[in-house]
Amino acid sequence: MKKTTLIGALAAIILLASCGKKEEQAPQATGPMPFPVKTVTTENAVVYNEFPANFEGQQNVEIRSKVTGFITQILVDEGQQVHKGQVLFKIETQTLNQDAASAKAKVAAAQVEVDRLKPLVDRKIISKVQLETAQANLQAAKAAYASVAANIGYGTITAPVSGVIGGLPFKVGALVSPTTADPLTTVSDSHVIRAYFSMNETQLISFAKTFKGATLQEKLKNVPPVGLILADDSEYNLKGKLETVNGLANATTGTTQFRAEFNNPEAVLRSGGKGTVRIPVTYNNAIVVPQNAVFDMQGKQMIYVVNKDNIVKSKVLTVTNTSGTNFIVSEGLQAGEVIVTEGAGKLKDGMAIVPQTGAPAPQAATTPAK
């Protein structure tokens, strides 16, 4: 009997201890959790649309020989700055000199014939037609001589414009002619660099809707100064201007070519180089929200709004563009509404939160559009 009583007492003690542990381990009720929030305001946001571009000098002039001959002198070097009228090449003209001497002799002979016939015509010994024929032969001989003399002058090749010398594919002694496929060199006037880039049909429609004007040319005048990103990802220190747009789209690619021009006083930009043209688009009085505040649900972009009772409710947004780490919103939010800026994945409609407004809200950034 005593043994049975002892076992029952031990069982009661174990049961009481177990119940105590369960009560200690029971979860405690918790209240609303804190979340950072921000009051929606309107602000100006700048988005940069970027387009790969190829550089060309304001003038790229191919230098070619007008006569056939051997190169006797190359008086410039690659990359050298030259001025208009400076001698670049000299072509061998010995054969032309011989032709010129022959042509000059023919002029003298024709002149002698005219001088011989003139007094005979004056005395009416011969017909005037003979003199006129001799005079015509004289004019033909003079024209032939002038042509040969001009070709001799073409043996000295000068720069037609001021600029920078390109490559020199031919060396002294090379035979060149007017039909040679490659030019002797190229002179590039790079004081102003032209950046050529293209827009596809969708981008062109967006461009036309963004800037005011009845025609594309009028819209170009309303585009603010454009920027340029160089090959090393640095930004060129001078702004450029959109100057022209091709009136026709490329039938093969469906793109339309634009041209922007940049002053190049320090020769930083080189003809044949590449960069990225940045066209700024300003959204005035736009509603901008942090990207961290927006979440996707079934293909829709949504955000949580906090009401006056600190209860959250999701809303569908229409996002127009991206500015840095922010979204530019065209529909779904109004100025004055309070949104949750972080932790949307922990929320559900109807949940109560403790709004935290101490954390600084992200600012709109002027970075390229995605």
Side-chain angles (χ1 to χ4, degrees), residues 24-311:
E24 291 176 1
Q25 294 174 357
Q28 301 296 321
T30 58
M33 295 181 61
F35 285 85
V37 298
K38 172 191 174 182
T39 301
V40 176
T41 59
T42 59
E43 55 189 90
N44 294 339
V46 179
V47 175
Y48 289 100
N49 296 324
E50 298 188 343
F51 303 93
N54 298 316
F55 299 158
E56 289 187 13
Q58 189 174 23
Q59 284 185 297
N60 284 338
V61 182
E62 291 185 345
I63 307 300
R64 295 182 178 274
S65 176
K66 290 185 177 181
V67 295
T68 298
F70 295 97
I71 298 176
T72 58
Q73 286 183 282
I74 299 177
L75 302 173
V76 290
D77 202 355
E78 296 174 340
Q80 180 179 335
Q81 182 75 37
V82 297
H83 57 80
K84 182 178 180 179
Q86 181 174 338
V87 178
L88 308 180
F89 302 90
K90 287 194 174 182
I91 309 297
E92 176 270 323
T93 58
Q94 183 176 355
T95 302
L96 291 175
N97 289 334
Q98 295 172 355
D99 293 342
S102 175
K104 190 173 183 179
K106 290 179 180 179
V107 170
Q111 184 67 57
V112 169
E113 182 65 10
V114 170
D115 294 341
R116 185 182 69 82
L117 296 177
K118 189 173 182 181
L120 296 177
V121 171
D122 293 340
R123 287 183 288 175
K124 298 182 180 181
I125 298 175
I126 62 172
S127 169
K128 188 178 180 180
V129 174
Q130 288 181 278
L131 176 60
E132 291 175 349
T133 301
Q135 289 174 333
N137 292 336
L138 175 61
Q139 293 302 319
K142 287 182 177 180
Y145 173 72
S147 176
V148 175
N151 284 336
I152 292 175
Y154 294 148
T156 299
I157 300 175
T158 60
V161 296
S162 297
V164 179
I165 294 293
L168 296 171
F170 299 99
K171 307 305 178 185
V172 171
L175 178 64
V176 294
S177 72
T179 60
T180 301
D182 295 328
L184 301 181
T185 190
T186 301
V187 178
S188 175
D189 181 0
S190 57
H191 288 93
V192 174
I193 285 291
R194 293 176 171 178
Y196 290 91
F197 63 94
S198 297
M199 291 187 188
N200 59 36
E201 293 184 52
T202 302
Q203 293 167 333
L204 187 60
I205 292 172
S206 176
F207 177 87
K209 290 180 177 179
T210 300
F211 300 103
K212 297 180 180 179
T215 65
L216 278 176
Q217 292 297 336
E218 291 181 8
K219 294 177 186 295
L220 289 179
K221 297 178 181 178
N222 293 319
V223 177
V226 299
L228 184 65
I229 302 300
L230 305 179
D232 62 353
D233 292 330
S234 65
E235 185 171 3
Y236 186 53
N237 62 346
L238 297 177
K239 297 295 183 181
K241 177 67 177 174
L242 286 188
E243 292 291 343
T244 63
V245 54
N246 196 320
L248 299 175
N250 186 303
T252 302
T253 62
T255 59
T256 300
Q257 189 177 68
F258 285 70
R259 188 184 83 212
E261 293 189 357
F262 296 84
N263 288 327
N264 189 31
E266 298 180 359
V268 174
L269 308 178
R270 307 287 285 182
S271 183
K274 298 181 183 297
T276 302
V277 172
R278 307 177 76 201
I279 302 177
V281 178
T282 301
Y283 292 83
N284 295 317
N285 299 319
I287 291 179
V288 180
V289 300
Q291 292 186 30
N292 288 341
V294 179
F295 63 97
D296 290 333
M297 180 174 289
Q298 296 180 347
K300 297 180 179 179
Q301 293 177 302
M302 309 185 71
I303 199 168
Y304 280 111
V305 177
V306 186
N307 66 15
K308 62 181 180 179
D309 298 321
N310 296 335
I311 304 298

Side-chain angles (χ1 to χ4, degrees), residues 2-15:
K2 290 182 179 180
K3 184 176 181 181
T4 302
T5 303
L6 181 60
I7 293 173
L10 289 174
I13 293 171
I14 292 171
L15 180 61

